[in-house]
Amino acid sequence: MPPPRAMRFGGAELDATEQAQVASTLVEKLRSEDASEVAASAEELFRMTSFKSAVAIDTPEAMTDYDRSVFGAGAGAGDAVTPPAGNSTADVSFSTGDAHVDGRRYLMGDGFMLDEDFADGSVRTRRVAVMHSRSCLDNRTIIGNVPGVFEALVTAIRSHSAESRYQACRAASQIIFRNKDNKTALGNTPDAMAAIGHVVMLATQDMDKRTLAQACRVLGVLVAGDEKNSMMAAQDAPLVANLRACLLDGEDEVSGQAGKVLNSISYLIPEDTDAAK
């Protein structure tokens, strides 16, 4: 297993200096006046800091209904796959991803990692992290160290473009996820909480459920385990009101993410705000 610094960063083999240069270029593009460039850069930052998983396709009969619903199947949908030694039942109908570090090809998708070994020594269905996923924790640190990254994210979150706001919220939530320094830095960035709250308001008005869910998610990550960030959110009465309205939303992802935020900040919400609900 190569060390994280030697793994792919943004789809290429780069050393630490080159990684920082790539991150800096993307961060600078977050300030672009071209909304499509802002959205594309934020999406790339999201991908660099996100886990992915894959499913080995050793034997198609081992695929569960869940696997099929997540990864899909269809005659002729994928490239030919070379089965492992001793197994000639590889299913060529599944769409495959890039070659993994172990030299085999996998279906790409999101999910938990699972290594399912059987008594006969075979591996029927496995979910494993793909190569560029394993460096996502390292990537969060590299991106978080880019000067002005959090101010640039706030600028993107304030974008006039709904797509840019959506991608910026996704990127922000992943950059600060399980990274205390990044979470603190974003919370300390001027206008950060207000900008996210503004996205919650706009997405609610526009019935833009996917952006609303992502805005609630970045709030949830921002306040989790951080009392200072939680206090800022709890004292924002309009934000609290919008989050409470989200609890009644028919979209499970929206209500679920809003609920996580409120669970974290409920003990800090002023009594007069509670009385007004």
Side-chain angles (χ1 to χ4, degrees):
M1 181 71 62
R5 292 286 185 179
M7 288 187 178
R8 285 190 297 176
F9 184 91
E13 294 288 349
L14 307 174
D15 62 27
T17 300
E18 291 170 324
Q19 291 171 1
Q21 290 173 345
V22 170
S24 295
T25 298
L26 289 170
V27 168
E28 185 59 34
K29 288 181 179 179
L30 292 178
R31 300 186 178 92
S32 172
E33 294 183 2
D34 182 343
S36 62
E37 186 171 58
V38 173
S41 298
E43 184 176 16
E44 183 64 14
L45 290 170
F46 166 79
R47 293 184 184 281
M48 288 180 180
T49 51
S50 301
F51 279 112
K52 290 194 178 192
S53 65
V55 171
I57 47 180
D58 299 332
T59 54
E61 61 269 20
M63 299 291 282
T64 65
D65 289 340
Y66 171 78
D67 294 329
R68 293 178 184 278
S69 68
V70 172
F71 297 100
D79 299 327
V81 180
T82 302
N87 190 334
S88 61
T89 57
D91 183 353
V92 298
S93 69
F94 287 88
S95 178
T96 56
D98 294 335
H100 185 54
V101 66
D102 61 10
R104 300 188 35 207
R105 295 176 67 83
Y106 296 96
L107 287 172
M108 303 296 293
D110 296 323
F112 296 99
M113 290 180 283
L114 174 67
D115 193 334
E116 188 174 345
D117 295 307
F118 289 80
D120 62 1
S122 64
V123 180
R124 303 294 176 83
T125 302
R126 294 184 298 156
R127 289 193 184 85
V128 296
V130 296
M131 194 160 94
H132 64 281
S133 299
R134 291 177 181 148
S135 59
C136 76
L137 299 178
D138 195 46
N139 292 350
R140 291 171 188 165
T141 299
I142 293 168
I143 293 167
N145 286 335
V146 174
V149 57
F150 298 105
E151 290 82 358
L153 280 170
V154 170
T155 297
I157 290 170
R158 282 283 193 186
S159 173
H160 62 83
S161 162
E163 180 65 18
S164 296
R165 294 194 296 269
Y166 166 72
Q167 297 293 354
C169 285
R170 291 175 84 206
S173 66
Q174 286 303 118
I175 291 169
I176 68 174
F177 183 58
R178 295 182 180 175
N179 189 304
K180 187 176 185 299
D181 290 341
N182 288 355
K183 179 189 297 190
T184 299
L186 180 59
N188 289 337
T189 301
D191 196 42
M193 191 69 70
I196 300 168
H198 185 65
V199 174
V200 171
M201 181 192 70
L202 287 178
T204 300
Q205 293 175 349
D206 297 341
M207 299 186 67
D208 181 358
K209 300 300 180 68
R210 68 171 194 154
T211 301
L212 182 56
Q214 291 302 321
C216 290
R217 183 176 186 273
V218 68
L219 278 173
V221 179
L222 194 58
V223 302
D226 191 302
E227 187 165 359
K228 181 179 178 181
N229 291 343
S230 295
M231 181 65 75
M232 285 191 291
Q235 293 179 341
D236 187 333
L239 174 60
V240 171
N242 284 327
L243 290 170
R244 285 171 169 163
C246 288
L247 293 178
L248 304 177
D249 195 286
E251 179 67 44
D252 289 344
E253 180 68 9
V254 170
S255 58
Q257 295 295 344
K260 290 177 184 178
V261 182
L262 289 169
N263 283 340
S264 295
I265 69 174
S266 59
Y267 73 105
L268 295 170
I269 296 175
E271 292 184 3
D272 56 342
T273 304
D274 281 329
K277 66 180 178 180

